[in-house]
Structure formats: C-alpha cells, structure tokens
Amino acid sequence: MGVRIPLSTPVEDVDADDPRLARHRRNWLVAGIGPAGQARMRAARVLVVGAGGLGSPVLLYLAAAGVGTLGVCDSDVVEVTNLARQLLHGEADVGMAKPESAARRLGALDASVRVEQFGNATRDFLDAHGAEWDLVIDCTDNFAAKYLVADWCADSGVPLVWGTVVSMGFQVSVFWSRPPAGVPATTLRMVYPHVPPPGTTPASPQVGVLGSVVGQAGTAMATEATKLITGVGEPLIGRALVADAARNRYSVLTFAAGPDGSDSSADRSGRPDRFDGPDSSARHDATGDTP
C-alpha cells in the first residue's frame, strides 16, 4: 500500500544529475524513492513534537535524509540526565532550550535544513499553525500531550506518526483520519480510547528506559515518516509495530482493515494491548512516558 502525503510546498522537477541530490544518492537509489522521492523529502515540512528521547533519532535521521523543513516543539531545557538517551544534545547544551540545541545540532549536520523552533504544542498553537505542516510526529513524554496532539490530528486530518517507549518495549503506528481513498481512516482513540488513570501504567521515571531501545523506536518512526513523504513501502496505517527488545520479539499487529477490507497481518485478535509479545510495559502502556 504505497501512500504518500500531499505536500504544501510544490515539488520541483529534478533528475538524477541534479547536483543537489548527490548528498542523498544512497537514499534515492532505494527502490521506489528515486530522484522524485528525494525531491519530495526536500519539499516536506515536518513538525516534531518533543525533542527528547524519541525526538532525537527522528530529527537526526530526517535531517540527514534531506527533509527540507523541520519544526521542533519542546518547552524543556537540556539536563545532564537526558544525555544517556537524548543523543541530539551534548554536555555543552545543558541548560539550553531543547529546540535551540536541536537547531544547532541539525544545522551542523546539514546547514541547508531549515529548523523552526517552538515551545509547547498547545491546542491554540496547533489550531493556529498545525495546518502549515505536512506531517506531525508525536515524540512527547506524557499522556496529556499525546492525546492532545493525536486529537488535533484526528480533527484536522493531518497525518500523525506516533510512538511510545518505556523500559525495553515500544510501539509505533501511523494515524490518519482523512487518508487518500482506499486507505483506512485511523486515530489513536480507535486503539486506546481513553487516557489511562494515573498510576495504572508503568512510566520510565519508575521502571526506566533503555537509550538504545528509544533509538530503535525513533528510527522506526523516522522510517514511517519517510515512507509517507515519498510514497515508498507500506506505512503502518491500521497497524502497530509492537516490540519487546528484551526478548527480541517484534510483531506488526492490525487494528483496522486494509484497503480491500482484508486483514494484512498474520496476527489479529483485537487491540495491540491484548496481544502477547512485548512485556507488560509495552503491552499496557500505549502512551508511556519517554522523557
């Protein structure tokens, strides 16, 4: 199911000899991307909400892949305790606002990437500016933020790449309430209708989170974003990647039918939190804490 998002910025005609593509040649040599897909990457505007554990690999890999404009939303400053898993930042950035630190790091990686800095992604902010972005990626670290972003995307129709990680388990999916014809409409609340009551799910301040596992989740999210921008592959629309890194168990679980009405997953029993596979932290904490 090759699906790609409509881009707000026109995509320029390019060819394989365009010198601007040389940097990303290994990207566009991948079957299905090509120079046209790489041009779409350059035209894309992606808003990343959260510049911490998940946001670090998402921002780094999308900047390296040639996304033209990245928005960074985060109201926190860099702390020493972040550095074990938030590899976007370094010791010299401690005390700096995370969007500023992110912009500095991404600019050093590729000076041509435009980075726009924002604080909290409030409902008012998203109402005013969210439609300026082609895609939103949720890298937040608390239930309130995750449901706020997901609900806004569901109301507005902007596609959302979503992920969560705690301990050594993670989940990644794509939600899109107004997708192209033939693609199932999905939202976070189709899978997890309600915010879990306080204390009913594990969170990383209590059970920890392994930095390398955060990296696995974030790179999977960056891949989903790339698939949506270029139209290559099958994005996780109506499906969730559920991983238990402790036991190296990974499942792709279906919660919405495919475009032909069929179930594209070999494992389907209901919502992802009803499946065996990852440990309880991944199975029951669909919107876990990832500070």
Side-chain angles (χ1 to χ4, degrees):
M1 181 176 61
V3 178
R4 66 184 190 184
I5 58 176
L7 300 181
S8 56
T9 303
V11 181
E12 300 176 10
D13 292 332
V14 294
D15 59 45
D17 295 323
D18 189 328
R20 294 173 297 176
L21 296 179
R23 179 184 184 124
H24 305 290
R25 179 177 174 82
R26 297 294 178 90
N27 274 5
W28 59 258
L29 285 176
V30 173
I33 296 182
Q38 194 60 48
R40 289 182 62 83
M41 293 289 281
R42 187 169 62 222
R45 293 175 50 83
V46 179
L47 181 65
V48 179
V49 185
L54 290 173
S56 289
V58 166
L59 287 163
L60 286 167
Y61 275 99
L62 291 183
V67 170
T69 304
L70 290 166
V72 183
C73 278
D74 202 309
S75 60
D76 289 341
V77 299
V78 179
E79 300 178 4
V80 172
T81 55
N82 300 149
L83 303 183
R85 64 198 176 280
Q86 300 184 17
L87 302 187
L88 188 63
H89 315 291
E91 289 186 349
D93 304 316
V94 171
M96 183 181 295
K98 287 184 179 178
E100 182 181 357
S101 173
R104 185 165 71 173
R105 176 69 178 90
L106 299 176
L109 179 64
D110 186 344
S112 71
V113 176
R114 181 178 178 182
V115 180
E116 300 183 15
Q117 303 175 42
F118 308 100
N120 277 333
T122 64
R123 181 74 192 211
D124 286 345
F125 168 82
L126 291 171
D127 285 340
H129 302 289
E132 300 169 5
W133 301 91
D134 303 309
L135 173 67
V136 174
I137 305 183
D138 173 20
C139 299
T140 59
D141 64 359
N142 62 80
F143 292 122
K146 284 192 172 296
Y147 277 85
L148 184 152
V149 172
D151 287 345
W152 183 86
C153 286
D155 293 341
S156 68
V158 175
L160 173 68
V161 175
W162 171 92
T164 181
V165 57
V166 66
S167 187
M168 294 185 69
F170 66 85
Q171 298 182 19
V172 172
S173 190
V174 174
F175 301 113
W176 199 350
S177 62
R178 299 175 198 168
V183 178
T186 58
T187 67
L188 174 62
R189 290 187 185 269
M190 286 179 61
V191 187
Y192 299 105
H194 307 293
V195 179
T200 61
T201 60
S204 64
Q206 288 76 48
V207 301
V209 59
L210 190 63
S212 58
V213 177
V214 177
Q216 287 181 276
T219 52
M221 295 169 72
T223 300
E224 290 305 304
T226 300
K227 288 155 63 175
L228 288 167
I229 295 167
T230 63
V232 70
E234 298 183 10
L236 288 168
I237 300 174
R239 301 179 297 150
L241 170 63
V242 181
D244 171 14
R247 293 181 286 178
N248 263 345
R249 294 184 180 179
Y250 303 86
S251 301
V252 177
L253 310 173
T254 301
F255 59 87
D260 60 356
S262 65
D263 184 344
S264 60
S265 170
D267 296 315
R268 179 176 170 89
S269 307
R271 289 168 25 187
D273 63 353
R274 294 177 182 168
F275 285 92
D276 294 327
D279 64 18
S280 61
S281 64
R283 195 164 60 241
H284 300 298
D285 187 15
T287 50
D289 182 17
T290 313

